[in-house]
């Protein structure tokens, strides 16, 4: 045991322990270099090395500023290291490991490691940081006797709380650091030639180019520490002029020719002239050739013009998927108008708002939908019931084009932070640029068809709608039915070669055997794509499908970046969003709109041909989000609110949102809109919403509400259902006495109950499953929902279930009970007891049917005399009728 002297206020060991306990209070966050590979459970001791490039001028300045003091030189290097780690992570609390000062080794026989913890802020002057780091190093050396391993034991830690370490070989011993196996070590030495060093790293975590970038940033930071001590930390430049040109200019050299003078309707007409007899669209056994679709859309265009609807008008499309839907969209475009998609499954209040806000002149709909919103629009045309009259009086010839490339093609409404949706105005020029790029990227010269199965109000559908129709391919239209998955129908039909979907939908594919599928390309968009999911889906297709990760907000016309998934190269948690599309510029900028280097998170900005015009009738929001581009004077760029970072290999990785907007089930949702709508309930005083992860890593939307007493969850759902798409209604509702606030009066989301706590609050009196059927159902729910126990009275949807999970539940229950379970059963019988009873009855009915079938087969094999004998034995009169 270490011998220590005793002072008037306790032992030296006790004083040093109290110092380290104060220094490590609140549990420091782990900061480091973002790894390229998942951290292995064990790992080995191998290390690779990248040299640290320190230019001669920096060495000279460093020696002058530090006067040759090894501790001061070390402090300057640690300050540069902490600046890099702060810029990489955005975390102000930065911890770096080091070794004891060997000069005092004889006084410290039982310790090897030390921690250097400092606050680093963007507005902090470099000089201030350097002084604080020097003080921290000095204090650490003064308290280095207390054994580090014993400190970890007292803190209940099993590993040192740092991923990065630094050592100056003149005063630290390398083997002390090696024993702790940090991810990265900055190893330095001072000799006659000045400071030199290298970055050591674990090759099982990093590619060489990643550490090379880190070493380059370290050199830049150290140069800034000695040359610009009065600069704020956030302004210390890590990006060299050469690399800046590569990321800002060369990365964005995407110029490509496309038919700038045409509209998308003219592209369709050009294709129809070239392949008039090819099948353009198929829906439930009916089809239209390009000639027929062209003629019908021409007739509708003439009709709309006759109603005074032409260039600049907005035409609503409120229809279930059908061939008439295609006629309606093309007809509106040919009339010179823009179309506004309205989803019949959305709440009527939302639809009424869009109709009013957009100023819809004509509503295209179907007879069965007319009664819902027919009185909301000045004119409503039913393209099924009214079609014979339209076709009888209107010409099938192409009307003279009136729309110009700068005119609107469509307006799609997205969630708005003010509680009301915003209409995004997309021009023909932007749509044509995207469609031509997508055709070249996803179709090339291959004969692959697309399905139309997702909502028109979701701009992901734009790809599936227009790309095939300007390429001579067929579009298979799948009607949307309540509580049924159109995606299942697409996969079962097995007629398309390209499928666009969200990661949430992609998850449904991973449990299928897709080796016999005709799908050759998957385009994934709408949310971050997890690498593990992409890899499992690729495996389910036998490795013969291409998976494209497409990124793009509605304001940048569907997609503006893409990355082809490569399981050998894409080893991080999420698949990169890649490189810009044709005629698109992508920037990662800080708050001062300065370009950022690799690994440093920043906001993503978009410029180029795909930018929307703005937000319909919302000049304030348009001006705030579509701003002047300082990197291309005379052009605009869109402020996305998305946070991303450059990867060392020259592609971009999506990180998340910097505001209240999230992606949930592929839909962009503003959490503030959930709060505003939930507060409309008369019993709700205040509320908040969070997007969390469940036990399986799946997204879970949780709503917190304040009221005098717990409210009926079904009533809360009903309140939201009047305004929000069904896919975006929270799965959890948590009653609180108050919303916790931060010191500045904003909701403190860190103090809201966790998902596990939320589930405990939702539990009623627990009743365990009583029958084998209930046990099977509860087991399936527990596995898919990520809950430890499920009672017989628990509601699937109140436990966090949603329509996407319902498909998996029905599939697994069907396998377990050997039944064909209808999708609606989970909606009609949402409790364990209810669905278990239904499945038991279905099994009994199926068994009865099997008994009858066996009896019929036996009778078929009997002779007439044997049949008579059996009937007589059964008590029925031989030869008489059986009732």
């Amino acid at each position: 045991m270490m011998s220590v002297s005793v002072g008037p206020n306790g032992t030296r060991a006790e004083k040093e322990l109290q110092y380290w306990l104060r220094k490590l209070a609140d549990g420091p966050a782990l900061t480091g270099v973002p790894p390229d590979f998942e951290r292995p459970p064990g790992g080995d001791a191998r290390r690779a090395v990248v040299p640290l490039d320190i230019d001669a001028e920096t060495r000279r300045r460093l020696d002058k500023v530090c006067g040759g003091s090894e501790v001061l030189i070390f402090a300057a290097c640690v300050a540069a290291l902490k600046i890099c780690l702060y810029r990489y992570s955005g975390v102000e609390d930065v911890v770096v490991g080091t070794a004891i000062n060997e000069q005092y080794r004889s006084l410290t026989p039982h310790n090897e490691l030390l921690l250097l913890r400092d606050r680093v802020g963007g507005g902090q002057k470099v000089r201030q940081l350097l002084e604080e780091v020097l003080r921290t190093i000095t204090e650490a050396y003064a308290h280095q006797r207390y054994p580090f391993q014993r400190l970890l034991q007292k803190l209940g830690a099993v590993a040192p709380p740092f991923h990065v370490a630094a050592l100056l070989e003149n005063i630290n011993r390398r083997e002390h650091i090696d024993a702790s196996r940090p991810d990265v070590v900055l190893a330095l030495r001072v000799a006659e030639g000045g400071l030199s060093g290298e970055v050591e790293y674990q090759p099982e975590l990093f590619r060489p180019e990643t550490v090379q970038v880190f070493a380059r940033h370290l050199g830049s930071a150290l140069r800034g520490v000695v040359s610009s001590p009065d600069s704020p930390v956030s302004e210390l430049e890590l990006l060299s002029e050469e690399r800046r040109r590569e990321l800002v200019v060369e990365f964005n050299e995407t110029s490509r020719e496309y038919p700038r003078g045409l509209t998308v309707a003219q592209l369709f007409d050009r294709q129809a002239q070239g392949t008039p007899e090819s099948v353009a669209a198929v829906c439930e056994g009916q089809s239209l050739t390009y000639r027929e679709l062209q003629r019908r859309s021409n007739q509708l265009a003439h009709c709309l013009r006759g109603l005074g609807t032409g260039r600049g008008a907005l035409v609503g499309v409120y229809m279930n998927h059908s061939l008439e839907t295609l006629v309606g969209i093309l007809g509106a475009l040919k009339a010179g108008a823009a179309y506004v998609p309205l989803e019949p499954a959305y709440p009527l209040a939302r639809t009424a708002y869009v109709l009013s806000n957009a100023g819809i002149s004509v509503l295209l709909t179907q007879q069965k939908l007319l009664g819902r919103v027919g009185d909301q629009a000045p004119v409503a045309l039913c393209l099924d019931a009214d079609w014979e009259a339209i076709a009888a009086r209107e010409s099938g010839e192409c009307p003279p084009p009136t729309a110009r490339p700068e005119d609107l093609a469509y307006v799609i409404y997205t969630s708005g932070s003010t509680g009301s949706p915003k209409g995004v105005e997309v021009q023909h020029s932007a749509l044509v640029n995207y469609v031509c790029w997508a055709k070249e990227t996803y179709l090339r010269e291959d004969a692959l068809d697309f399905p139309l199965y997702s909502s028109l109000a979701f701009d992901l559908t734009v790809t599936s709608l227009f790309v095939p129709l300007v390429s001579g391919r067929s579009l298979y239209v799948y009607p949307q039915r309540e509580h049924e998955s159109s995606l299942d129908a697409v996969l079962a039909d097995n007629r398309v070669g390209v499928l666009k979907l969200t990661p949430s939908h992609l998850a449904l594919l991973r449990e299928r055997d897709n080796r016999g599928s005709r799908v050759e390309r998957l385009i994934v968009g709408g949310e971050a794509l997890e690498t593990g999911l992409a890899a499992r889906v690729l495996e389910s297709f036998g490795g013969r499908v291409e998976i494209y990760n497409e990124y793009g907000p509605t304001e940048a016309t569907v997609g503006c970046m893409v990355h082809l998934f490569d399981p050998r190269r894409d080893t991080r948690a999420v698949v990169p969003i890649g490189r810009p599309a044709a005629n698109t510029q992508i920037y990662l900028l800080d708050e001062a709109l300065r370009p950022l280097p690799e690994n440093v998170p920043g906001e993503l900005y978009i410029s180029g041909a795909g930018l929307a015009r703005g937000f319909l009738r919302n000049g304030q929001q348009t001006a705030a989000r579509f701003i002047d581009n300082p990197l291309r004077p005379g052009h605009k760029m869109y402020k996305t609110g998305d946070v991303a970072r450059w990867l060392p290999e020259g592609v971009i990785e999506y990180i998340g949102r910097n505001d209240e907007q999230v992606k949930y089930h592929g839909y962009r949702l503003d959490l503030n809109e959930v709060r505003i709508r939930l507060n409309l309930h008369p019993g709700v005083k205040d509320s908040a919403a969070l997007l969390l992860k469940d036990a399986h890593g799946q997204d879970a939307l949780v709503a917190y509400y304040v009221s005098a007493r717990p409210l009926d969850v079904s009533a809360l759902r009903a309140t939201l259902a009047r305004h929000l798409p069904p896919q975006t209604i929270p799965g959890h509702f948590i009653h609180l006495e108050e919303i916790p606030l931060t010191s500045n009066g904003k909701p403190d989301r860190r103090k809201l109950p966790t998902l596990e706590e939320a589930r405990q609050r939702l539990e009623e009196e627990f009743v365990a499953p009583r029958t084998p059927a209930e046990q099977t159902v509860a087991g399936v729910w527990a596995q898919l929902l990520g809950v430890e126990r499920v009672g017989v009275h628990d509601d699937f949807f109140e436990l966090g279930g949603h329509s996407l999970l319902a498909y998996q539940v029905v599939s697994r229950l069907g396998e377990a009970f050997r039944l064909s379970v209808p999708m609606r059963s989970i909606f009609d019988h949402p409790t364990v007891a209810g669905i278990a009873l239904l499945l038991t009855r279905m099994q009994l009915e199926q068994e009865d049917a099997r008994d009858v079938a066996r009896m019929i087969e036996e009778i078929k094999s009997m002779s007439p005399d044997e049949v008579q004998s059996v009937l007589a034995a059964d008590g029925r009169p031989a030869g008489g009728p059986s009732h």
Side-chain angles (χ1 to χ4, degrees), residues 463-583:
T463 310
S464 301
L465 178 64
F466 290 112
V467 173
L469 292 180
V470 303
S471 308
R473 304 312 313 155
S474 297
L475 179 59
Y476 287 88
V477 181
Y478 293 86
Q480 297 164 293
R481 295 185 172 87
E482 189 177 6
H483 305 319
E484 290 186 16
S485 169
S486 298
L487 179 58
D488 283 342
V490 173
L491 297 171
D493 209 15
N494 200 25
R495 292 194 285 184
V496 301
V498 184
L499 180 60
K500 189 166 189 183
L501 68 177
T502 67
S504 296
H505 284 119
L506 190 69
L508 302 177
L509 272 65
R510 66 182 165 193
E511 297 184 4
R512 301 173 60 104
D513 182 356
N514 299 302
R515 288 171 294 181
S517 173
R518 296 176 66 177
V519 173
E520 296 184 18
R521 287 172 199 133
L522 295 169
I523 310 169
V524 186
E527 300 169 292
L529 174 58
E530 296 179 15
T531 304
L533 172 61
R536 288 192 294 272
V537 170
L538 180 63
E539 183 180 354
S540 77
F541 279 87
R544 54 156 202 81
V545 70
E546 294 177 346
I547 302 177
Y548 289 89
N549 190 25
E550 183 186 275
Y551 164 85
T554 303
E555 293 84 352
T557 312
V558 187
C560 60
M561 299 189 72
V562 74
H563 179 83
L564 177 60
F565 172 62
D566 182 348
R568 294 165 297 182
R569 185 69 182 174
D570 300 327
T571 55
R572 298 176 181 86
V574 295
V575 179
I577 54 177
R579 303 180 67 85
N583 304 301

Side-chain angles (χ1 to χ4, degrees), residues 460-719:
L460 174 147
T461 310
V462 171
T463 310
S464 301
L465 178 64
F466 290 112
V467 173
L469 292 180
V470 303
S471 308
R473 304 312 313 155
S474 297
L475 179 59
Y476 287 88
V477 181
Y478 293 86
Q480 297 164 293
R481 295 185 172 87
E482 189 177 6
H483 305 319
E484 290 186 16
S485 169
S486 298
L487 179 58
D488 283 342
V490 173
L491 297 171
D493 209 15
N494 200 25
R495 292 194 285 184
V496 301
V498 184
L499 180 60
K500 189 166 189 183
L501 68 177
T502 67
S504 296
H505 284 119
L506 190 69
L508 302 177
L509 272 65
R510 66 182 165 193
E511 297 184 4
R512 301 173 60 104
D513 182 356
N514 299 302
R515 288 171 294 181
S517 173
R518 296 176 66 177
V519 173
E520 296 184 18
R521 287 172 199 133
L522 295 169
I523 310 169
V524 186
E527 300 169 292
L529 174 58
E530 296 179 15
T531 304
L533 172 61
R536 288 192 294 272
V537 170
L538 180 63
E539 183 180 354
S540 77
F541 279 87
R544 54 156 202 81
V545 70
E546 294 177 346
I547 302 177
Y548 289 89
N549 190 25
E550 183 186 275
Y551 164 85
T554 303
E555 293 84 352
T557 312
V558 187
C560 60
M561 299 189 72
V562 74
H563 179 83
L564 177 60
F565 172 62
D566 182 348
R568 294 165 297 182
R569 185 69 182 174
D570 300 327
T571 55
R572 298 176 181 86
V574 295
V575 179
I577 54 177
R579 303 180 67 85
N583 304 301
T584 300
Q585 291 77 48
I586 302 293
Y587 309 102
L588 290 180
L589 308 177
D590 64 12
E591 293 182 356
L593 301 184
R594 293 183 297 246
L596 292 170
E598 301 94 325
N599 286 328
V600 177
E603 186 166 357
L604 194 149
Y605 290 78
I606 305 168
S607 188
L611 278 198
R613 177 190 292 175
F615 299 114
L616 183 66
R617 311 189 203 291
N618 195 333
Q620 183 176 0
Q621 277 289 312
T622 299
R625 301 299 290 272
F626 294 85
I627 64 176
D628 292 336
N629 184 348
L631 302 171
R632 292 183 73 210
H635 293 78
K636 292 288 185 180
M637 64 181 185
Y638 177 65
K639 178 181 173 66
T640 67
D642 287 331
V643 178
R645 67 184 178 108
W646 288 104
L647 297 180
E649 55 264 40
V651 295
I652 291 177
E653 178 184 72
Y654 174 82
I655 296 175
R657 295 289 300 169
N658 68 358
D659 56 16
E660 291 291 316
Q661 292 188 336
V662 298
K663 291 290 184 69
Y664 183 56
H665 296 163
Y667 288 78
R668 192 172 73 185
L669 174 70
D670 196 299
L671 294 177
N672 197 45
E673 184 179 8
V674 178
R675 182 188 69 83
I676 291 171
R677 299 306 187 186
L678 191 56
N679 288 349
L680 293 177
H681 187 286
V684 174
K685 298 179 180 178
D686 198 7
S687 61
L690 281 182
L691 188 65
L692 306 175
K693 293 288 186 182
D694 64 19
H696 292 281
Q698 300 295 317
D699 288 339
L701 188 59
V702 183
Y704 304 87
Y705 69 95
V706 177
S707 63
R709 56 179 177 77
L711 301 174
D712 181 18
V713 171
S714 60
L716 297 175
R717 289 180 185 276
T719 297

Side-chain angles (χ1 to χ4, degrees), residues 293-441:
L293 181 55
Q294 183 185 40
R295 186 184 72 252
R296 293 193 186 188
S297 58
N298 290 342
Q299 290 172 317
L300 178 59
H302 286 295
C303 175
L304 290 173
R305 288 191 179 181
L307 295 171
T309 300
R311 186 185 176 204
L314 297 180
V315 173
V317 178
Y318 186 70
M319 304 172 71
N320 290 319
H321 285 355
S322 63
L323 296 179
E324 288 91 0
T325 306
L326 307 183
V327 173
I329 291 173
L330 289 172
L333 294 174
K334 289 186 173 192
Y339 75 94
V340 182
L342 301 160
E343 173 54 55
Y346 284 4
L348 292 180
R350 184 184 182 94
T351 301
Y353 172 82
V354 172
L355 286 169
S356 173
N357 181 259
I360 298 295
S361 59
V362 175
L363 181 68
L364 304 179
T365 186
Q366 294 156 323
Q367 186 67 38
K368 60 183 178 182
L369 299 176
L370 182 61
R372 296 188 190 178
V373 293
D375 58 348
Q376 301 284 334
V379 178
L381 293 178
C382 295
L383 296 191
D384 47 6
D386 297 339
W387 185 251
E388 287 189 8
I390 294 172
R393 68 172 183 265
E394 302 296 351
S395 168
E397 297 298 318
C398 288
T402 58
R404 299 172 183 172
E406 63 271 20
D407 291 336
L408 295 183
Y410 62 80
V411 176
I412 284 183
Y413 277 76
T414 64
S415 182
S417 59
T418 60
S420 299
K422 300 193 301 289
V424 180
E425 304 172 298
V426 175
Q427 296 162 292
H428 277 281
S429 56
L431 179 58
V432 168
N433 177 68
Y434 170 77
V435 169
C436 291
W437 168 81
K439 173 185 174 181
E440 181 180 328
T441 303

Side-chain angles (χ1 to χ4, degrees), residues 8 30 38 66 68 76 79 166 212 299 303 307 347 364 407 411 451 454 478 578 756 765 847:
L30 286 172
E38 292 294 324
C66 299
Q212 289 165 4
Q299 290 172 317
C303 175
L307 295 171
L364 304 179
D407 291 336
V411 176
S454 52
Y478 293 86
E756 189 57 37
E765 184 178 351
E847 192 59 38

Side-chain angles (χ1 to χ4, degrees), residues 58 105 223 250 384 429 453 685 790 805 834:
T58 299
R105 178 64 177 170
R223 183 165 52 251
E250 295 177 12
D384 47 6
S429 56
Y453 72 96
K685 298 179 180 178
V790 177
L805 274 179

Side-chain angles (χ1 to χ4, degrees), residues 576-868:
I577 54 177
R579 303 180 67 85
N583 304 301
T584 300
Q585 291 77 48
I586 302 293
Y587 309 102
L588 290 180
L589 308 177
D590 64 12
E591 293 182 356
L593 301 184
R594 293 183 297 246
L596 292 170
E598 301 94 325
N599 286 328
V600 177
E603 186 166 357
L604 194 149
Y605 290 78
I606 305 168
S607 188
L611 278 198
R613 177 190 292 175
F615 299 114
L616 183 66
R617 311 189 203 291
N618 195 333
Q620 183 176 0
Q621 277 289 312
T622 299
R625 301 299 290 272
F626 294 85
I627 64 176
D628 292 336
N629 184 348
L631 302 171
R632 292 183 73 210
H635 293 78
K636 292 288 185 180
M637 64 181 185
Y638 177 65
K639 178 181 173 66
T640 67
D642 287 331
V643 178
R645 67 184 178 108
W646 288 104
L647 297 180
E649 55 264 40
V651 295
I652 291 177
E653 178 184 72
Y654 174 82
I655 296 175
R657 295 289 300 169
N658 68 358
D659 56 16
E660 291 291 316
Q661 292 188 336
V662 298
K663 291 290 184 69
Y664 183 56
H665 296 163
Y667 288 78
R668 192 172 73 185
L669 174 70
D670 196 299
L671 294 177
N672 197 45
E673 184 179 8
V674 178
R675 182 188 69 83
I676 291 171
R677 299 306 187 186
L678 191 56
N679 288 349
L680 293 177
H681 187 286
V684 174
K685 298 179 180 178
D686 198 7
S687 61
L690 281 182
L691 188 65
L692 306 175
K693 293 288 186 182
D694 64 19
H696 292 281
Q698 300 295 317
D699 288 339
L701 188 59
V702 183
Y704 304 87
Y705 69 95
V706 177
S707 63
R709 56 179 177 77
L711 301 174
D712 181 18
V713 171
S714 60
L716 297 175
R717 289 180 185 276
T719 297
L720 292 177
R722 289 195 291 271
H723 302 281
L724 300 177
Q727 297 90 341
T728 62
I729 294 177
H732 307 272
F733 291 81
I734 312 304
H735 175 250
L736 299 176
E737 293 183 359
E738 62 180 6
I739 300 291
L741 302 177
T742 62
S743 58
N744 62 2
K746 295 183 178 181
D748 190 345
R749 292 172 176 80
R750 296 172 300 176
K751 294 182 180 179
L752 290 170
T754 66
L755 188 55
E756 189 57 37
E757 292 170 343
R759 284 174 174 152
Q760 292 174 2
R761 296 189 185 199
L762 285 172
E763 287 187 9
E764 298 177 0
E765 184 178 351
F766 180 77
V767 178
R770 302 155 295 191
T771 66
E774 289 178 348
Q775 291 169 358
T776 299
V777 172
V780 170
W781 287 18
Q783 185 177 18
L784 288 175
L785 293 169
V787 295
E788 292 185 7
R789 64 177 191 173
V790 177
V792 298
H793 300 308
D794 286 343
D795 185 291
F796 174 76
F797 298 99
E798 292 185 12
L799 286 178
H802 48 76
S803 57
L804 293 176
L805 274 179
Y807 301 137
Q808 298 183 53
V809 166
V810 166
S811 174
R812 294 195 183 183
L813 290 179
E815 293 175 2
F817 287 85
R818 296 183 180 180
L819 294 169
S820 177
V821 183
M823 177 59 62
R824 184 163 187 87
S825 60
I826 194 70
F827 293 89
D828 293 339
H829 307 276
T831 65
V832 169
I835 193 68
L837 180 60
L838 173 68
L839 295 174
T840 301
R841 287 175 178 170
M842 291 175 63
Q843 278 188 320
L844 292 174
E845 292 171 358
Q846 181 171 283
E847 192 59 38
D848 289 342
R850 287 173 180 166
D851 289 341
V852 172
R854 283 195 297 269
M855 183 182 299
I856 292 173
E857 290 300 318
E858 290 177 5
I859 292 175
K860 287 181 179 179
S861 65
M862 294 180 181
S863 67
D865 291 337
E866 289 173 329
V867 173
Q868 293 292 333

